Amino acid sequence: FLAQVGLASGPQFAATVAESGFTLLLLGAVIMLALILATMIAGRLFGIPADDLFGIISGVTGNPAILVYANRAIPTERPDIGYAMVFPTVTVAKILFVQIAAAVLGT
């Protein structure tokens, strides 16, 4: 079933990527960098230690690869705690944001 769906939607997907793929990729990179920068600035303003901040940034971005790097670079459990505190809330917020944006933009 999944193979058939993939084969059937392949040409349309390729056309969409060819038409607006670079723009969407660039927009996603800008949004991600802005999110990381805002989190880092807020963390420093509130005096959050660096090991906690690594975990919080990985949770905000939803990127466990950052968490793995932080766990290797910092020998404490603080990055795991920061990730666990932030990830569920940010995931729900992202889902709500997409629903609100879709309603506002009328799509």
Side-chain angles (χ1 to χ4, degrees):
F1 172 75
L2 293 177
Q4 179 59 36
V5 170
L7 289 173
S9 64
Q12 294 171 340
F13 178 74
T16 301
V17 169
E19 180 181 312
S20 59
F22 182 73
T23 303
L24 292 175
L25 180 65
L26 184 62
L27 183 61
V30 167
I31 291 170
M32 186 61 66
L33 289 173
L35 180 63
I36 291 170
L37 185 62
T39 304
M40 289 176 65
I41 290 171
R44 283 302 178 195
L45 288 175
F46 290 119
I48 297 174
D51 50 355
D52 288 338
L53 196 54
F54 276 132
I56 291 170
I57 288 172
S58 63
V60 166
T61 60
N63 191 342
I66 299 172
L67 182 63
V68 170
Y69 174 77
N71 283 330
R72 289 185 182 178
I74 300 170
T76 67
E77 295 180 359
R78 303 297 297 178
D80 291 324
I81 295 169
Y83 181 85
M85 288 188 322
V86 174
F87 180 72
T89 305
V90 172
T91 301
V92 171
K94 287 177 186 178
I95 293 168
L96 292 175
F97 176 76
V98 168
Q99 297 299 319
I100 293 168
V104 169
L105 297 175
T107 55

